[in-house]
Amino acid sequence: MLSIHSAAKKATRLCDGISRREVLKIGALGMGGLTLPQLLQAEAAAGIRGSQKSIIMIYMVGAPPHQDMYDLKMDAPSEIRGESRPMATNVPGIQISELMPGIAKIMDKCVPLRSVYGSPNGAHDSFICYTGRPTQNQPPGGWPSIGSTISQLQGPADPSVPPFVGLSPDAGHPPYGSPGLPGFLGVGNAAFRPSGPAEKSMVLSDITLDRMKDRKQLLQSFDRFRRDADASRTMEGIDQMYGQAMDILSSGRLADALDLSKEDPATRERYGKGSPAKYGDGAPRNLEHFLMARRLVEAGARVVTLNFGRWDFHSRNFSELRDTHLPWFDQGLSALIEDLHDRGMADDVSVVAWGEFGRTPKINKDGGRDHWPRVGGGLLAGGGMKTGQVIGSTDRLGGEIDSRPIHFGEVHATLYQNMGINPHSTMVRDFAGRPHFLVDNHPAMPELIG
């Protein structure tokens, strides 16, 4: 936690996230030198809304094997069926992997998706999970992630908490570490990244509260001078934006959400710790990020993204699932979903966990499954959706969609609708000024809407 020492040397809690030198410039708290005032530009455009609806998106780095989690094929040949065995859930007729007992106990609160498609080429990239669109044929500036779009449209629910928070640390393969890019909506709508590349430099010490106020006044005076000298008026409103940035930095609300020591010890144990170390070139298997995501949406964040593990099991698929990934993932995800229900937040918080594609039906010579963009899976929960059902199916081998294809864009349309945004009538403009709907021609999923 960050402490600012007053003249009396008493520690005063302020905020997790800025170095002494960065106070003067409200420094680089996000990817690529993103400043908090830039992050707040969306609020200036859209105003503060009262909605507390939110989204937590878990990106399963590298694409998990759908047929070893939610869509087991016990009637397939052994070279396809694999080692996973089915487990009954608390919803009659729905079975999932025996390695996911936590989710099995709360299946009435979940929706496994067994027929997700849309990845055009099987290349590793979190882009389609965060945008609902492929990387090809993008408009000027690129497609924005759902977090950036909601930041632009709705702004912060609370002025002291960023609307879009990305808990995804950097990874060896850069797309694995992206929390979702702002695209043509600009860096002002990028994710605030407390776990990002600026984390180690976000330290403030040996500065009194009075000196903090002096620097704020100096900053305001300097920016007024820049604004007055700017004939093009591009600096218009910057005083307000920096003032709002200072609100975030000086408020205890964001700091408290990020400080897990304030959480009930029993709840922390329920989520577990996992491991903060990156797994290969992927993400950490950090179970505390699941808890932090819940605390952030509770504090007012509208969208929180996190990444988990590295599921690209071209070899040792079954031992990787059993020994390194599924038990922890099951613990963190089931704890999050249960916790949201226990706190009366489930109707307001949509949860989605998925990867960029599925895995091959046939197990390769190294005991792994390779890339398979024809069909993958995922899990939905919360958001007031109709849960306790499975949507979609694949054929006997798990390689082709048999019923109810689900495009990534349909899930995004549903998430927008859960946020109170009509994705087919609301538009945002790219760098060339052209308007775009929030999703392509994909409807919200009727099976989920009450």
Side-chain angles (χ1 to χ4, degrees):
M1 224 31 222
L2 182 68
S3 295
I4 293 183
H5 297 282
S6 69
K9 301 297 183 183
K10 292 181 179 179
T12 303
R13 191 76 66 184
L14 181 66
C15 177
D16 227 28
I18 188 167
S19 71
R20 178 177 178 176
R21 184 171 297 178
E22 284 172 333
V23 170
L24 183 58
K25 64 181 181 179
I26 318 298
L29 294 179
M31 184 172 60
L34 173 65
T35 64
L36 281 173
Q38 289 173 315
L39 185 66
L40 291 164
Q41 287 178 348
E43 182 180 346
I48 300 173
R49 307 291 178 85
S51 171
Q52 293 299 308
K53 302 290 185 180
S54 54
I55 296 167
I56 297 174
M57 184 175 291
I58 300 109
Y59 167 51
M60 302 169 72
V61 168
H66 59 285
Q67 60 274 77
D68 299 312
M69 295 175 65
Y70 311 120
D71 192 18
L72 277 65
K73 298 297 180 182
M74 302 311 298
D75 295 331
S78 59
E79 66 270 18
I80 289 172
R81 181 175 66 245
E83 299 178 7
S84 297
R85 292 294 177 265
M87 170 182 281
T89 71
N90 71 344
V91 176
I94 299 180
Q95 295 181 329
I96 59 174
S97 168
E98 62 187 343
L99 299 177
M100 303 182 71
I103 294 296
K105 292 177 183 177
I106 59 167
M107 184 53 67
D108 60 311
K109 300 175 175 63
C110 304
V111 182
L113 306 177
R114 291 179 175 170
S115 54
V116 179
Y117 78 101
S119 179
N121 53 20
H124 282 305
D125 202 323
S126 58
F127 190 86
I128 196 165
C129 293
Y130 290 132
T131 67
R133 290 172 160 124
T135 57
Q136 290 80 5
N137 303 317
Q138 297 190 56
W143 293 118
S145 70
I146 190 170
S148 296
T149 302
I150 290 173
S151 172
Q152 167 73 21
L153 294 173
Q154 295 187 324
D158 184 294
S160 62
V161 179
F164 178 21
V165 180
L167 297 178
S168 303
D170 283 352
H173 179 55
Y176 286 165
S178 170
L181 299 177
F184 59 65
L185 295 180
V187 293
N189 291 299
F192 173 76
R193 298 187 66 192
S195 301
E199 180 180 21
K200 292 182 180 179
S201 65
M202 291 161 67
V203 178
L204 181 64
S205 60
D206 297 328
I207 181 170
T208 68
L209 291 177
D210 290 339
R211 291 177 67 192
M212 178 77 169
K213 293 175 183 176
D214 290 342
R215 277 154 174 73
K216 181 177 180 179
Q217 292 171 355
L218 176 62
L219 178 66
Q220 290 172 339
S221 298
F222 178 70
D223 286 323
R224 277 196 296 270
F225 170 78
R226 291 177 62 197
R227 181 200 61 204
D228 293 343
D230 183 12
S232 67
R233 300 179 66 84
T234 58
M235 300 296 291
E236 190 71 33
I238 197 168
D239 289 336
Q240 179 183 359
M241 292 178 187
Y242 271 93
Q244 292 164 350
M246 292 299 294
D247 287 341
I248 287 179
L249 294 175
S250 60
S251 170
R253 191 168 179 83
L254 177 61
D256 287 347
L258 296 171
D259 184 1
L260 298 186
S261 70
K262 295 181 179 293
E263 187 61 61
D264 177 69
T267 301
R268 294 189 69 179
E269 184 177 355
R270 180 182 184 182
Y271 279 84
K273 289 184 177 293
S275 172
K278 297 173 186 174
Y279 197 83
D281 65 353
R285 295 161 295 156
N286 192 342
L287 300 184
E288 292 190 329
H289 279 176
F290 289 82
L291 175 56
M292 192 175 292
R294 190 225 80 204
R295 290 177 61 84
L296 283 163
V297 298
E298 197 170 31
R302 295 192 187 278
V303 177
V304 178
T305 59
L306 61 99
N307 55 9
F308 186 90
R310 185 186 183 277
W311 304 78
D312 192 27
F313 304 144
H314 291 279
S315 62
R316 304 186 306 276
N317 177 73
F318 302 101
S319 62
E320 290 277 21
L321 287 172
R322 181 182 63 249
D323 301 333
T324 69
H325 277 67
L326 259 187
W328 274 352
F329 178 76
D330 177 65
Q331 180 179 357
L333 184 57
S334 61
L336 172 63
I337 295 169
E338 282 190 292
D339 202 7
L340 291 172
H341 278 269
D342 291 346
R343 292 171 180 272
M345 300 169 62
D347 285 347
D348 293 325
V349 182
S350 301
V351 177
V352 56
W354 54 2
E356 57 266 47
F357 44 74
R359 312 300 297 194
T360 53
K362 188 173 182 179
I363 302 164
N364 65 29
K365 62 181 179 60
D366 298 315
R369 297 189 190 271
D370 301 315
H371 299 185
W372 193 255
R374 296 184 191 178
V375 61
L379 190 84
L380 292 171
M385 294 180 284
K386 295 179 178 179
T387 56
Q389 61 173 321
V390 171
I391 302 179
S393 66
T394 56
D395 64 8
R396 188 176 69 92
L397 303 183
E400 303 293 340
I401 295 175
D402 183 58
S403 69
R404 184 53 177 98
I406 306 165
H407 194 278
F408 283 91
E410 291 181 71
V411 177
H412 275 255
T414 305
L415 296 174
Y416 280 120
Q417 185 158 318
N418 291 351
M419 292 292 293
I421 300 171
N422 187 327
H424 303 293
S425 62
T426 306
M427 293 187 290
V428 288
R429 294 184 180 274
D430 64 25
F431 285 165
R434 292 189 295 247
H436 298 275
F437 291 115
L438 307 187
V439 296
D440 294 327
N441 295 321
H442 300 296
M445 298 176 65
E447 303 94 331
L448 298 174
I449 305 303

